[in-house]
Amino acid sequence: MKEKSMYQKNLNFIILETILTSIGCGFSVPIMNVFWNSIGMNQTDIGFTQMMFTIFLVCLDIPMGYFADRFNRKILNILGDIGCAFTFLYYMIAQNIYMAIIAECLLGIFIAMTNGVDQSFIKYNADKIDPSGRLFKKVNSRVYTLRYIATFLVMLIGGIIAKYNLRLTIGISFLPYLFGGIFAIFIKDYAKKTEKKHHNILKDMYGNTKEILKNKNSRIYILAYMVGKEITHPHIWIFTPLMMMVGVPIEIVSIGWILSQIFIIIGSKIAEKLISIKTSIKFILSFGITILWMSVLIINANIFTIWIFVLNGLVQGLISASLVTPLQESAKEENQTSIISIASTGARLLYIPLVFTINYLGNNTLQLAFVGMIAIFTPLCLYSYFKLNQCEHT
C-alpha cells in the first residue's frame, strides 16, 4: 500500500508537469501567423522556419531519448522545460525571420530533451499501481483530455492579451514551462535504465534503436503514429489566412482556433470512451473525417464552410492517445523514452518536406494545400490501416 501511494504521488507530479509543459504554445498559436507577418514573413517563410525547427528535432530526438533511457531522464526533462521557458522570452523580441529561425532551432533542442520522458514516467508509475495496464490506458487518455482543456483556457487568455500586446502573448509561454520545470524537480525516476552493450556510445545508441525496431508490432505502431500525427499537422498554418481570405474579421480569427481546441477536447473524450475499440478502426475513422472536411473546403471555401476546419481538431483529439498507448505497450520498460523518440523522429521526417510543400502550395492558392494533403496521405493512411488490421489479427 505504501509503495502504491509513492507511485501515485509521483504520477500526480508527472501529470501536472505534463499538462503545464504542453500548454505553453497555446497562448500564441492563434496569432503566430499575424506575428510572423508583422516581422516580414510570408507563408513560404513560415513553412521554412517550421522546417528548421523540425530538422533540429529530427537530429536530436533519438539521441536525447537514448541518453534519457541510458543515463538520466529527470535531468533532461528539467533542462528541456527550463530551456523552452527562456527561449520563448527570446522569441518575444524577434525582429525578423533570422531571429525567428534561431528561436525555432532552440525550441527544437530543448523539446528533444523532454520528448517522450513524460510518457515513459506515466507508463511506469501507472503500471506499478495497476500491473494489468488498464490504469495506464485510462490515465493516458485522461491526460490528453486535460491537456486539451488547459490549452483551450490558455488560448482564451492569449486572445485577450493579443488585443493589447502581440509580443507578450508569446513571452507569457515562459511561465507554464518554468513552473513545469520546477515540478519536474520533484519527479522520481524509478524505472530501469537501458543496459550498455557497447563501449562506443554511438554504436550502443544504434544497437538500442535497432533492437526496438526488430519488434514487428513496434514498427507498425510507429508507422501509424507517424501518419496519424501528421495528418492533422502540416496545414494548420493555413487556417488563419484562410479565415481572413473568406472574410472572417481579424478579431474573430482566434475564435476559429478556440473552436478547433473545443473539438480536440471532444475528440479526446470520444477516445476515452473508445479505449476498447481496435486502433485500426479509430485510425480509419479519423482518415475518413479528414477527407470529408478537406474536400468541402476544396470545393467551396466561404465564411460558412470555413468552420468545418474544426474537424481537424476532432481528429487530433481522437487519434492522439489512441496511437501512443499501443506504441508504448509494444516496447520494454527501459525503452519507453526511446520508442517515443523514434516515432516522433519518424513523424518529423515526414513533416519536414510536408510543411514546406503544403505551405508552398498554400502560398499560391490556399485550398491547394488540402489537395496536396489528400494526395499524399490517402495511400499512407490506407497502407497504415492495412498493417494495423493485420497486426490486430495475428
Side-chain angles (χ1 to χ4, degrees):
M1 186 64 71
K2 185 179 178 181
E3 274 198 357
K4 281 193 176 182
S5 174
M6 176 182 73
Y7 291 125
Q8 186 63 60
K9 182 180 177 182
N10 209 34
L11 185 60
N12 292 338
F13 274 123
I14 294 158
I15 291 170
L16 189 55
E17 186 263 346
T18 300
I19 292 167
L20 281 168
T21 55
S22 67
I23 64 173
C25 297
F27 287 106
S28 55
V29 164
I31 57 87
M32 279 310 292
N33 277 76
V34 179
F35 172 74
W36 283 324
N37 292 159
S38 75
I39 60 174
M41 292 170 60
N42 62 24
Q43 205 63 34
T44 304
D45 294 333
I46 291 167
F48 182 75
T49 59
Q50 293 307 295
M51 185 175 72
M52 291 302 296
F53 162 76
T54 309
I55 286 171
F56 268 74
L57 269 175
V58 164
C59 292
L60 294 171
D61 215 353
I62 292 177
M64 290 298 179
Y66 165 78
F67 289 140
D69 282 337
R70 175 74 184 84
F71 298 107
N72 199 312
R73 300 180 185 96
K74 179 173 178 173
I75 294 298
L76 282 175
N77 200 29
I78 295 168
L79 289 175
D81 290 348
I82 301 296
C84 283
F86 284 97
T87 299
F88 274 104
L89 287 183
Y90 171 77
Y91 215 149
M92 179 177 66
I93 62 169
Q95 300 294 324
N96 51 51
I97 186 175
Y98 304 107
M99 293 181 76
I101 289 171
I102 291 170
E104 292 287 348
C105 292
L106 286 171
L107 285 175
I109 293 167
F110 293 121
I111 289 173
M113 288 183 179
T114 67
N115 189 42
V117 175
D118 294 340
Q119 286 298 138
S120 67
F121 284 157
I122 287 172
K123 186 173 192 309
Y124 178 81
N125 287 274
D127 284 348
K128 284 295 180 181
I129 298 166
D130 176 14
S132 72
R134 285 192 296 271
L135 180 62
F136 168 60
K137 287 185 174 72
K138 183 179 176 181
V139 169
N140 229 8
S141 294
R142 181 57 55 86
V143 165
Y144 272 87
T145 301
L146 291 173
R147 284 170 58 177
Y148 295 142
I149 292 170
T151 303
F152 166 70
L153 296 174
V154 159
M155 279 186 171
L156 287 175
I157 296 168
I160 295 168
I161 295 171
K163 280 187 174 182
Y164 304 98
N165 193 316
L166 204 61
R167 291 181 180 274
L168 182 59
T169 312
I170 298 169
I172 201 171
S173 296
F174 166 81
L175 292 175
Y177 277 109
L178 178 66
F179 287 124
I182 292 169
F183 279 114
I185 295 169
F186 298 99
I187 295 171
K188 308 292 184 185
D189 183 9
Y190 298 118
K192 287 187 216 173
K193 299 291 188 294
T194 301
E195 291 182 16
K196 183 175 75 172
K197 294 176 182 176
H198 294 279
H199 291 294
N200 184 312
I201 199 164
L202 292 177
K203 285 184 178 179
D204 197 44
M205 182 170 61
Y206 172 76
N208 187 59
T209 304
K210 190 176 176 182
E211 183 185 341
I212 291 169
L213 292 175
K214 276 182 182 177
N215 185 308
K216 182 184 174 184
N217 285 357
S218 290
R219 291 199 305 271
I220 291 170
Y221 287 123
I222 286 170
L223 172 66
Y225 177 92
M226 289 166 52
V227 176
K229 184 175 173 62
E230 296 311 321
I231 199 173
T232 63
H233 193 192
H235 52 280
I236 60 169
W237 306 117
I238 300 294
F239 191 25
T240 295
L242 194 61
M243 280 192 283
M244 296 175 74
M245 183 195 82
V246 300
V248 177
I250 186 65
E251 62 270 19
I252 305 297
V253 163
S254 63
I255 292 177
W257 287 92
I258 290 167
L259 283 173
S260 183
Q261 193 63 34
I262 290 172
F263 272 79
I264 292 176
I265 295 167
I266 293 169
S268 67
K269 291 301 288 183
I270 292 171
E272 280 189 51
K273 303 296 182 184
L274 300 179
I275 287 176
S276 58
I277 301 296
K278 290 179 181 177
T279 303
S280 60
I281 300 298
K282 289 180 277 191
F283 185 89
I284 201 66
L285 175 63
S286 300
F287 170 63
I289 295 170
T290 300
I291 293 290
L292 171 67
W293 76 257
M294 285 189 178
S295 298
V296 169
L297 291 182
I298 290 169
I299 294 166
N300 185 17
N302 58 50
I303 200 165
F304 301 106
T305 61
I306 185 62
W307 306 105
I308 200 171
F309 197 111
V310 299
L311 290 180
N312 191 64
L314 182 77
V315 171
Q316 186 182 338
L318 175 62
I319 209 165
S320 295
S322 300
L323 292 174
V324 79
T325 301
L327 174 69
Q328 286 188 259
E329 288 174 334
S330 72
K332 296 176 183 176
E333 174 190 314
E334 62 269 27
N335 290 328
Q336 286 295 308
T337 311
S338 294
I339 195 167
I340 295 290
S341 295
I342 292 167
S344 297
T345 298
R348 283 159 184 149
L349 281 170
L350 184 58
Y351 180 67
I352 289 171
L354 277 175
V355 70
F356 186 78
T357 302
I358 297 304
N359 279 277
Y360 176 78
L361 291 171
N363 205 44
N364 295 305
T365 304
L366 289 171
Q367 289 99 319
L368 272 180
F370 302 133
V371 175
M373 286 293 293
I374 290 173
I376 292 166
F377 276 94
T378 296
L380 287 174
C381 285
L382 292 177
Y383 179 74
S384 300
Y385 168 71
F386 171 76
K387 298 305 286 185
L388 279 171
N389 194 47
Q390 197 177 55
C391 175
E392 289 167 347
H393 289 87
T394 55

